Amino acid sequence: MTKYLLGVTFESGPDTTPMEEWTPEEIQAHLDYYGTLTEELVASGELVSGTLLTGPDLARTVRSDGVAAPVVTDGPFGEFKEWLAGYQIVDVESEERAIEIAAKVSAVPGRGGIATQQPVHVRRIMDDGPSDADEMTHYATTGEPR
């Protein structure tokens, strides 16, 4: 089994109407769809974890030289559509299955019950990170662990 991160941002699909302008019934259908999908992935044993994230107005960036006190700043403040809204980590048999689940996430209903077609980022989670310079060089040039 291989783990994948499915990342959802605030980037919209074809309908760019903000959720604040959806009806309560449309919002509930949206949430119910996610709930049902989560139940299915838990039942299949494929869902490792998932959560919603606060907005970047509550995010902090930490920089440290390892000696002095860390410098903590607000942000990051990218474009709204680039903010990570939430994620799921799935443990699946193949990349194809991860893509199939991402497609279900993208098909969450929006206004009028129409699939949002929201982009979902699919990224493989490395089982083991590079442990020496050769492995890091290989990963940096191929994108694959050795």
Side-chain angles (χ1 to χ4, degrees):
M1 301 280 276
T2 305
K3 292 184 180 101
Y4 289 85
L5 179 124
L6 310 179
V8 179
T9 65
F10 287 99
E11 185 175 354
S12 68
D15 183 355
T16 60
T17 305
M19 190 176 274
E20 301 84 52
E21 295 179 23
W22 296 10
T23 67
E25 295 79 18
E26 291 167 337
I27 293 171
Q28 192 61 54
H30 184 86
L31 296 174
D32 290 347
Y33 179 95
Y34 272 128
T36 299
L37 179 57
T38 298
E39 289 172 6
E40 290 173 8
L41 295 174
V42 167
S44 70
E46 294 172 307
L47 184 64
V48 174
S49 69
T51 194
L52 298 174
L53 301 172
T54 61
D57 55 322
L58 299 176
R60 302 294 176 259
T61 299
V62 178
R63 296 180 192 271
S64 175
D65 63 5
V67 179
V71 176
V72 181
T73 57
D74 293 343
F77 297 107
E79 289 189 48
F80 177 77
K81 67 182 182 179
E82 297 169 345
W83 295 352
L84 187 62
Y87 67 88
Q88 294 172 313
I89 295 176
V90 294
D91 194 4
V92 294
E93 292 290 335
S94 65
E95 180 181 47
E96 290 77 18
R97 177 62 179 147
I99 290 171
E100 181 180 320
I101 295 168
K104 289 182 179 188
V105 172
S106 180
V108 63
R111 285 189 330 130
I114 298 169
T116 63
Q117 300 177 52
Q118 182 178 24
V120 177
H121 302 266
V122 178
R123 296 185 61 184
R124 182 176 167 199
I125 296 174
M126 295 173 60
D127 294 325
D128 295 307
S131 61
D132 61 32
D134 285 340
E135 287 181 4
M136 189 65 197
T137 300
H138 176 78
Y139 174 71
T141 57
T142 68
E144 291 291 326
R146 192 170 265 193

